[in-house]
């Protein structure tokens, strides 16, 4: 059903007065799997949208099998996630699928296509991450679904977009990191290119996609019309080269290459070795901060050294300054330096591993790790949403669902009776 802009605005005002989540009342059909797409739809779910995750009826999302580690099923719950997932729910899957409902569905079957059509009739958003043209074979492309619901926001997430010479290439984060600049500027100066430690291109694409969906919803409130969003890893990767890309465009020269933890335009601004194999980050982002850092390092004479008086000089003489700082920092442990640095107002940080991060006092104070009750695995810990609102409380309303956990409820909501649901299950249309 096409909602008018006036009706949509009235709904928005109603949600605000009821103090509900920002996207309460928005329905999302999620045809994505792995990371970029599920990360996008998890953000929408965190913000209050009702996200229906459509999965293969027996395999489910690819990441259900990506492990170890797995959160083990409680005794008697081994069948909860289908015959291919007896070992439990994978940590990978659990990380990007909260606040969603799962329906196991084979959309290659015409009856499965009809169920998605039924879902789309009153949906606000559909997100998919298949190769361009794939879903047209099943009448699930934007052109087909727009006829059913002209107000639908249809977001396509692909490796290289709907157009261009690479549009039909499968898209993987690491390949895009390599081809679109990020890998070339990541790693030690004398080392090989390396990927970022997380699939950052997938994640930034998910973020851009969720932003675009919300902008399209706002535009629909004015026009009453939906639209097709063409989101690609390659575009998002290029965009997030940010100041590095700008430097190349302005200078007309190649990038400065790999800098390790250092910054090509600031010195000091990198990690330094400490005693017992540790590391600490020190940032002298301007001349005043550098002078404070000199006092913290008990090297006040550096403040007046003509080689280090300005940032431009420090960058020019980094081959002298960086080894000199390293010689000082190696004399104490990271903790000892942190105890000293806390008395000085300049940027510094320990270089922590992920476990230390999740157990960090600041992480706890900001409620960034939460424990939720999973129906089949018992209590599990998840990284919380970073979004915090003064008028809304983002919570985990639904733990990451088991495969097909909500199939019956969703089908009943579409008007299917129990006999029809059982027949569809026996035919392999749903799971």
């Amino acid at each position: 059903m096409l909602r008018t802009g006036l009706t949509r605005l009235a709904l928005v005002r109603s949600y605000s007065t009821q103090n509900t989540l920002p996207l309460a009342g928005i329905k999302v059909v999620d045809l994505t799997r792995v990371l970029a797409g599920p990360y996008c739809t998890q953000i929408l779910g965190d913000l209050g949208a009702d996200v229906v995750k459509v999965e293969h009826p027996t395999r489910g999302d690819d990441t259900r099998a990506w492990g170890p580690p797995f959160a083990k099923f409680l005794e008697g719950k081994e069948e909860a996630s289908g015959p291919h997932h007896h070992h439990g729910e994978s940590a990978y899957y659990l990380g990007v699928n909260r606040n969603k409902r799962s329906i196991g569905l084979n959309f290659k079957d015409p009856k499965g296509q009809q169920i998605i059509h039924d879902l789309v009739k009153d949906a606000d958003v559909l997100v998919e991450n298949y190769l361009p043209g794939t879903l047209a074979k099943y009448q699930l492309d934007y052109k087909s679904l727009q006829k059913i619901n002209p107000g639908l926001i249809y977001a396509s997430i692909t490796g290289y977009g709907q157009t261009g010479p690479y549009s039909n290439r499968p898209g993987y984060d690491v390949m895009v990191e390599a081809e679109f600049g990020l890998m070339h500027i990541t790693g030690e100066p004398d080392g090989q290119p390396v990927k970022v430690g997380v699939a950052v291109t997938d994640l930034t694409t998910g973020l851009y996609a969720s932003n675009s969906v919300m902008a399209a919803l706002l535009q629909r409130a004015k026009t009453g019309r939906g639209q097709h969003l063409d989101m690609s890893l390659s575009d998002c990767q290029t965009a997030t080269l940010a100041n590095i890309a700008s430097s190349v465009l302005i200078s007309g020269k190649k990038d400065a290459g790999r800098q390790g933890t250092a910054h090509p335009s600031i010195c000091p601004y990198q990690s330094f070795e400490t005693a017992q194999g540790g590391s600490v980050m020190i940032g002298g982002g301007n001349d005043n901060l550098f002078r404070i850092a000199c006092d913290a390092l008990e090297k006040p004479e550096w403040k007046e050294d003509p080689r280090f008086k300005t940032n431009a000089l420090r960058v020019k003489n980094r081959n002298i300054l960086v080894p000199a700082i390293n010689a000082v920092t190696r004399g104490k442990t990271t903790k000892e330096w942190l105890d000293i640095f806390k008395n000085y107002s300049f940027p510094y940080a320990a270089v922590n591993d992920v476990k230390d991060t999740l157990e960090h006092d600041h992480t706890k104070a900001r409620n960034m790790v939460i424990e939720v009750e999973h129906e089949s695995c018992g209590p599990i810990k998840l990284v919380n949403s970073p979004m915090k609102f003064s008028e809304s409380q983002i919570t985990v309303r639904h733990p990451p669902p088991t495969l097909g956990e909500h199939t019956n409820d969703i089908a009943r909501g579409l008007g299917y009776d129990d006999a029809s649901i059982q027949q569809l299950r026996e035919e392999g249309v749903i799971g």
Side-chain angles (χ1 to χ4, degrees), residues 8-322:
R8 174 61 59 187
L9 288 171
L11 283 170
V12 170
R13 293 191 187 100
S14 173
Y15 295 153
S16 297
T17 57
Q18 293 175 22
N19 212 21
T20 57
L21 290 166
L23 294 185
I26 298 297
K27 181 177 178 180
V28 178
V29 179
D30 180 4
L31 299 184
T32 70
R33 64 270 190 236
V34 188
L35 186 53
Y39 194 62
C40 165
T41 54
Q42 178 171 271
I43 292 170
L44 300 176
D46 286 348
L47 289 168
D50 175 18
V51 180
V52 175
K53 183 177 178 69
V54 179
E55 304 187 68
H56 187 279
T58 57
R59 297 192 305 271
D61 189 311
D62 297 0
T63 62
R64 288 186 181 274
W66 288 10
F70 295 95
K72 294 182 179 179
F73 289 135
L74 299 171
E75 187 175 352
K77 297 286 188 178
E78 291 82 0
E79 296 295 333
S81 198
H84 296 276
H85 308 287
H86 293 277
H87 31 262
E89 292 282 38
S90 78
Y92 197 120
Y93 168 81
L94 292 171
V96 288
N97 285 290
R98 63 173 176 260
N99 288 330
K100 303 178 187 181
R101 297 186 292 152
S102 170
I103 177 173
L105 180 67
N106 176 15
F107 62 67
K108 292 183 179 180
D109 189 295
K111 294 180 180 178
Q113 295 160 25
Q114 183 58 51
I115 290 174
I116 294 182
H117 287 181
D118 291 339
L119 284 169
V120 163
K121 285 176 183 176
D122 67 346
D124 298 281
V125 179
L126 183 144
V127 187
E128 58 90 8
N129 62 349
Y130 289 84
L131 278 173
T134 300
L135 293 181
K137 295 182 290 186
Y138 310 111
Q139 293 76 54
L140 300 177
D141 58 314
Y142 175 62
K143 185 177 180 180
S144 299
L145 298 185
Q146 185 192 34
K147 295 175 183 176
I148 298 172
N149 181 354
L152 183 69
I153 309 299
Y154 188 109
S156 295
I157 299 176
T158 58
Y160 302 95
Q162 301 295 308
T163 60
Y166 283 10
S167 60
N168 288 318
R169 273 195 187 188
Y172 295 90
D173 176 281
V174 69
M175 305 303 172
V176 175
E177 283 191 44
E179 188 131 16
F180 290 85
L182 182 59
M183 195 176 290
H184 182 260
I185 57 174
T186 305
E188 291 300 319
D190 56 352
Q192 291 295 309
V194 299
K195 70 179 184 67
V196 179
V198 296
V200 67
T201 306
D202 275 331
L203 298 175
T204 54
T205 304
L207 285 163
Y208 269 113
S210 64
N211 257 4
S212 299
V213 165
M214 288 184 278
L217 287 169
L218 289 172
Q219 185 171 14
R220 189 183 68 177
K222 302 173 185 176
T223 67
R225 296 191 302 275
Q227 59 183 304
H228 188 195
L229 308 179
D230 176 6
M231 310 302 302
S232 74
L233 273 68
S234 58
D235 290 351
C236 293
Q237 176 52 71
T238 302
T240 52
L241 290 171
N243 59 297
I244 304 298
S246 183
S247 295
V248 171
L249 291 171
I250 297 302
S251 70
K253 299 177 182 178
K254 287 182 174 291
D255 63 72
R258 293 177 287 285
Q259 303 288 323
T261 61
H263 193 288
S265 304
I266 307 171
C267 185
Y269 198 89
Q270 65 186 82
S271 69
F272 294 90
E273 300 169 25
T274 59
Q276 300 178 7
S279 297
V280 66
M281 288 288 298
I282 295 175
N286 60 43
D287 295 341
N288 185 55
L289 291 174
F290 173 70
R291 294 171 70 85
I292 296 172
C294 291
D295 289 334
L297 293 166
E298 299 180 348
K299 286 292 183 180
E301 64 271 22
W302 288 350
K303 294 189 288 185
E304 304 305 324
D305 191 310
R307 298 169 297 179
F308 310 145
K309 290 278 285 185
T310 67
N311 179 68
L313 288 168
R314 292 191 295 275
V315 170
K316 178 181 178 182
N317 294 299
R318 72 166 70 235
N319 61 325
I320 301 170
L321 179 58
V322 170

Side-chain angles (χ1 to χ4, degrees), residues 270-272 274 279-283 334 337-338 341 346-352 360:
Q270 65 186 82
S271 69
F272 294 90
T274 59
S279 297
V280 66
M281 288 288 298
I282 295 175
T334 298
W337 281 119
L338 295 178
F341 290 167
F346 76 103
Y348 66 89
V351 179
N352 290 324
H360 198 288

